[in-house]
């Protein structure tokens, strides 16, 4: 279990453990707000992948507009759990 914990620290908090893709950019570039108010910060890449699979989630309103737009544009092109089908 220890190696997985070390791996989790090398990736942003928004990266699902099952998603093998590396982070892109700063690990706290964007914050996703879940439908029930829980928040998680992450890189643009993993936040987009997370947003694609979360019903009712959104990008935090204080995220820079360029990063928020990038996340939304990427998320709309992805299926939920994109890593499960190799995307």
């Amino acid at each position: 279990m220890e190696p997985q914990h070390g791996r989790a620290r090398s990736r942003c908090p928004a990266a699902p453990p099952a998603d093998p893709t590396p982070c892109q950019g700063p690990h706290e570039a964007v914050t996703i707000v879940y439908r029930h108010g829980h928040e998680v910060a992450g890189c643009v890449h993993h936040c987009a992948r997370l947003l694609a699979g979360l019903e009712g989630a959104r990008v935090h309103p204080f995220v820079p507009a360029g990063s928020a737009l990038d996340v939304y544009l990427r998320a709309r092109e992805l299926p939920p759990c994109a890593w499960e089908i190799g995307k």
Side-chain angles (χ1 to χ4, degrees):
M1 180 155 307
E2 189 65 35
Q4 183 179 6
H5 182 65
R7 181 178 174 209
R9 278 189 268 149
S10 67
R11 294 173 12 126
C12 72
D19 185 346
T21 61
C23 289
Q24 295 176 3
H27 285 197
E28 294 187 2
V30 180
T31 300
I32 297 295
V33 181
Y34 289 73
R35 175 175 47 187
H36 301 294
H38 176 74
E39 297 181 2
V40 65
C43 70
V44 170
H45 173 73
H46 286 116
C47 283
R49 293 166 79 81
L50 187 62
L51 186 64
L54 291 175
E55 186 175 327
R58 65 191 187 284
V59 175
H60 194 282
F62 295 125
V63 168
S67 296
L69 183 59
D70 194 7
V71 167
Y72 280 118
L73 290 174
R74 289 181 188 211
R76 75 179 207 178
E77 300 294 324
L78 293 169
C81 303
W83 56 91
E84 290 180 353
I85 60 170
K87 289 206 172 234

